Amino acid sequence: MKLTEAKQQFISSWGAFGTHWGINRTMAQIHALLLVSADPMTQDDIMQDLTISRGNTNMNIRELINWGLVDRVIVTGERKEFFAAEKDIWKVVRQIVKERKKRELEPMLKLLDQLEEVEGDKRDKNIKSFVETVTGIKRLGKQADKTLDMMIRADENWFLGSLMKLFK
Amino acid sequence: MKLTEAKQQFISSWGAFGTHWGINRTMAQIHALLLVSADPMTQDDIMQDLTISRGNTNMNIRELINWGLVDRVIVTGERKEFFAAEKDIWKVVRQIVKERKKRELEPMLKLLDQLEEVEGDKRDKNIKSFVETVTGIKRLGKQADKTLDMMIRADENWFLGSLMKLFK
DNA sequence: TAAATGTTTCAAAAAGTTTTGAAAATTCAA
DNA sequence: TTGAATTTTCAAAACTTTTTGAAACATTTA
């Protein structure tokens, strides 16, 4: 397979993959493009490569920067802004985990805390069933929260090393 | 907070939560409703509780059954089919991980294997950058694949216990 | 067997999301 | 300053996904 074709394939699959994870196709494609390109690219480069509009490009680059997956790069002697993806894939994963934990897991845990304190007789079958489910989810959620925290703080080798020992 | 209100809240948040994870709102809401209800419910119960159409209800119940998150329950003396959610939340998580791994992670790893074998001079900056990125992703992906396999096979206590030891 | 009850399908409508592109805003060099 | 280059915004259009509901299908009961 030729490089150009391989890049195309990677970009298109990464885009499809992203849509399963709540990331829109274009955002994932721009990320993919920057991941496999040797040098930083301008907005116009990206537009042309992916044949998407200026607005769409701009919007999604900004979103990628928000997620901490892409950085603005200043190239001396150039007026235009350049963009580059974080290439250390382990950092990328940690970054995504960190953001999603904050945006999704933490609010859910806060809600579960409230719901656990539903009024009424705990012997009532309906209340019992509700509280048990909520407590179960909360327990697992809190555990996941802690585990992810460790993972975010951890260094790649430490993490891989520990898992290898644990799961061998 | 009253039980009815608490249930409402739970169902609506679980629905919103689900949409971040590639599960549609209704599917997540039906799942939530069944999770917190003490007894199995019929399609008509669910329709009425969530005020959604018959077709929508049917479609999403079937999808939940496909995912292994909901079971048909036979109630003796009743003509209608009843449905109940798997209440062991740890089983639910394992089930979801298993499905998504199969549908998403595994095909991606297969593709990366192919892409790694791009033609051309490995000293070329562009090829080098591409191969390095792909290799990096593959390495992490393979590791994740293994780890998830262990997790799917593992028993709750074993998993929590090991993690507790590891991450304390 | 026919009627009644229950389940599934699917085309069309509604709702939700993403993309476009032109105009506005900003930045920078002269 | 001015104006050319660049970036950002946002309303409308295109596209995608979800939902509806009526009709078809299936199963049970009498």
Side-chain angles (χ1 to χ4, degrees):
Chain A
M1 202 188 297
K2 286 275 185 2
L3 179 63
T4 326
E5 197 198 334
K7 274 192 184 183
Q8 287 301 342
Q9 277 247 21
F10 178 73
I11 290 166
S12 116
S13 309
W14 200 248
F17 197 66
T19 57
H20 288 126
W21 289 87
I23 288 155
N24 85 41
R25 183 191 309 305
T26 307
M27 187 170 155
Q29 287 185 346
I30 295 176
H31 187 219
L33 176 60
L34 292 174
L35 269 178
V36 295
S37 86
D39 300 305
M41 299 175 80
T42 66
Q43 211 167 273
D44 287 80
D45 294 338
I46 294 170
M47 265 176 75
Q48 277 163 22
D49 257 48
L50 301 179
T51 47
I52 54 178
S53 72
R54 186 171 296 286
N56 194 9
T57 310
N58 187 269
M59 199 174 187
N60 284 294
I61 289 176
R62 244 178 326 116
E63 196 62 10
L64 283 166
I65 293 173
N66 275 344
W67 277 80
L69 301 179
V70 163
D71 290 320
R72 274 174 225 273
V73 172
I74 286 160
V75 175
T76 44
E78 289 276 7
R79 172 91 178 263
K80 284 185 175 170
E81 290 181 319
F82 285 72
F83 301 95
E86 168 58 58
K87 299 239 176 162
D88 177 343
I89 201 71
W90 174 245
K91 262 194 204 154
V92 170
V93 170
R94 283 201 319 221
Q95 196 61 42
I96 292 172
V97 166
K98 195 168 148 189
E99 283 292 328
R100 298 197 70 169
K101 186 167 111 54
K102 192 172 73 199
R103 295 176 193 202
E104 297 162 29
L105 184 58
E106 286 167 14
M108 176 54 80
L109 290 178
K110 212 174 265 175
L111 177 72
L112 292 174
D113 273 336
Q114 288 169 34
L115 295 184
E116 221 176 9
E117 280 155 34
V118 64
E119 295 164 18
D121 184 352
K122 295 279 146 63
R123 282 160 306 177
D124 173 347
K125 181 170 81 168
N126 296 294
I127 295 195
K128 219 178 138 201
S129 172
F130 182 81
V131 173
E132 271 170 14
T133 300
V134 168
T135 305
I137 295 174
K138 214 183 81 178
R139 222 175 92 231
L140 194 65
K142 290 247 155 94
Q143 185 59 49
D145 192 58
K146 258 191 230 158
T147 307
L148 294 175
D149 269 342
M150 301 293 170
M151 179 177 146
I152 290 164
R153 272 188 253 118
D155 158 85
E156 175 171 26
N157 292 327
W158 177 86
F159 183 64
L160 288 185
S162 301
L163 282 177
M164 289 312 286
K165 256 178 250 156
L166 181 62
F167 290 121
K168 213 149 37 186
Chain B
M1 201 188 297
K2 287 276 184 1
L3 179 62
T4 327
E5 197 198 333
K7 275 193 184 183
Q8 288 300 341
Q9 277 247 19
F10 178 73
I11 290 166
S12 116
S13 309
W14 200 249
F17 198 65
T19 57
H20 288 126
W21 288 87
I23 289 156
N24 85 39
R25 184 191 306 306
T26 307
M27 188 170 154
Q29 286 185 347
I30 294 176
H31 187 219
L33 176 60
L34 291 174
L35 268 178
V36 295
S37 85
D39 301 305
M41 297 176 80
T42 66
Q43 210 166 275
D44 287 78
D45 294 338
I46 295 169
M47 266 177 75
Q48 277 165 22
D49 256 47
L50 301 178
T51 50
I52 55 178
S53 73
R54 187 172 297 285
N56 195 10
T57 310
N58 187 270
M59 201 174 185
N60 284 294
I61 289 177
R62 245 179 325 118
E63 196 63 10
L64 284 166
I65 292 174
N66 275 343
W67 277 79
L69 301 179
V70 164
D71 290 320
R72 275 175 224 273
V73 172
I74 286 160
V75 174
T76 45
E78 288 277 5
R79 173 93 175 261
K80 284 185 173 168
E81 290 181 320
F82 284 72
F83 301 95
E86 168 59 60
K87 298 240 174 161
D88 177 341
I89 200 71
W90 173 245
K91 263 194 204 154
V92 170
V93 169
R94 282 199 320 219
Q95 196 62 41
I96 292 171
V97 166
K98 196 169 148 189
E99 283 292 327
R100 298 197 71 168
K101 187 168 113 54
K102 190 172 74 197
R103 295 177 193 202
E104 298 162 29
L105 184 57
E106 286 168 14
M108 175 54 79
L109 290 178
K110 212 174 266 176
L111 177 72
L112 292 174
D113 273 336
Q114 288 169 33
L115 295 183
E116 220 176 11
E117 280 155 34
V118 65
E119 296 164 20
D121 185 352
K122 295 279 145 63
R123 283 159 307 177
D124 172 345
K125 181 171 80 166
N126 296 295
I127 295 194
K128 218 178 138 201
S129 173
F130 181 81
V131 172
E132 272 169 12
T133 300
V134 168
T135 307
I137 295 174
K138 213 183 81 178
R139 221 174 93 233
L140 194 64
K142 289 250 155 90
Q143 185 60 51
D145 193 57
K146 259 191 229 157
T147 308
L148 294 176
D149 269 343
M150 302 291 171
M151 180 177 144
I152 289 164
R153 272 190 251 116
D155 159 85
E156 174 172 27
N157 291 326
W158 177 86
F159 183 65
L160 289 184
S162 301
L163 282 177
M164 286 313 287
K165 257 177 250 156
L166 181 62
F167 290 122
K168 213 151 34 185

